[in-house]
Amino acid sequence: MDSDTLQAFQSELTCSICINYFIDPVTINCGHSFCRPCLYLCWEEAQTSMCCPECREISEKPDFKTNIALKRLASLARQARPCHVDSSKDQICVAHKEAKGLFCEVDRNLLCGPCSESLEHRAHSHSSIECAAEEYRVEKFLKKMDTIRKMTQEMQNHLNQETSKIHSLAHYVALQKVTIKIQCQKIHLFLHEEEQLHLETIDRDAAETFQQLRSSEVRMTQQKEHLEEMHRELAETCQKPAAELLQVRGRISAKSTSVLVHTPQPLHPEISVGPITGLMDGLNHFQECSLKSGYCRKACAEGEESEISKPDY
């Protein structure tokens, strides 16, 4: 295969977003292919409709199946590229002064050739660092990235629900306050103190509930940011050289597991609006006073009438 053909072949296996060989490639409706993590990150950061990063055609669905053929070809191309030998002290065997090019499947350590033939490692299974890194890259990190992406979407849904609850609560409280004011205004002279008491009570209860929801909103926002940051870190780790990827795998795995474990759940707050104590008593008292006043006025009027019409002997 001549260099031009090889270059064209490699170009077909390269994601136009990250400019690296495909990792979990998907082919969208328009026919263009991208790494699944790159495509979703591109869509999330753009915060616009799901359109192709190359031709801008809008995709009809958010989920796509992995292009298995591209995935296999990209994996082979990645393993076939020239091995980058790291000259750092960590990549050179202290005992044999050779580069560590093998990965021990049992001890999970990088080894040089002579070390792999030693009594300590002879019976263990070994693979090249490129093959081992590909397994972590494609099988383990991608699965965690997919889990984090789904949890990020779920967290966004929870966040939207929590925000909606805050707006609904504000509307509900406003209606309740209007209702209370209307009721209290009818007998304002009798129940002014009662009105203030209930307004303060619902404000206090609402303030506590708002605080709980806002705290939950902050926690979910922070968790969403942590999930997005972890997703990006995993995506960046997948593109690291094989030896470096294997060295940081433990820390990245532990960090991503920790992020997945600490997931806040949405709240379901309620504000109980009990009976307005004293309101009906005040209304009844107001009605009784009105009736008594009416009767008195009628009796006085009738008495005056009888005095005027009484015959004078």
Side-chain angles (χ1 to χ4, degrees), residues 280-292:
M280 293 308 300
D281 293 337
L283 284 172
N284 292 333
H285 179 59
F286 179 81
Q287 290 175 348
E288 289 173 2
C289 290
S290 298
L291 289 174
K292 288 180 180 179

Side-chain angles (χ1 to χ4, degrees), residues 144 148 151 223 230 234 250-263:
K144 284 199 173 184
I148 288 177
M151 290 189 67
Q223 180 68 1
M230 192 69 251
L234 283 170
R251 179 179 64 80
I252 295 297
S253 297
K255 185 176 179 181
S256 60
T257 300
S258 176
V259 171
L260 296 176
V261 168
H262 300 89
T263 301

Side-chain angles (χ1 to χ4, degrees), residues 9-22 33:
F9 177 73
Q10 291 173 334
S11 177
E12 292 299 320
L13 300 178
T14 300
C15 171
S16 62
I17 299 177
C18 65
I19 319 300
N20 284 295
Y21 287 131
F22 287 121
S33 299

Side-chain angles (χ1 to χ4, degrees), residues 141-178:
F141 283 172
L142 276 178
K143 288 181 180 179
K144 284 199 173 184
M145 288 167 65
D146 187 58
T147 300
I148 288 177
R149 182 183 64 83
K150 291 178 180 177
M151 290 189 67
T152 302
Q153 292 176 342
E154 183 180 358
M155 191 57 57
Q156 181 62 56
N157 292 334
H158 289 335
L159 185 59
N160 292 341
Q161 291 175 12
E162 221 72 348
T163 302
S164 177
K165 290 175 187 176
I166 290 176
H167 294 159
S168 298
L169 178 63
H171 180 65
Y172 172 77
V173 170
L175 289 178
Q176 287 297 321
K177 292 175 73 171
V178 169

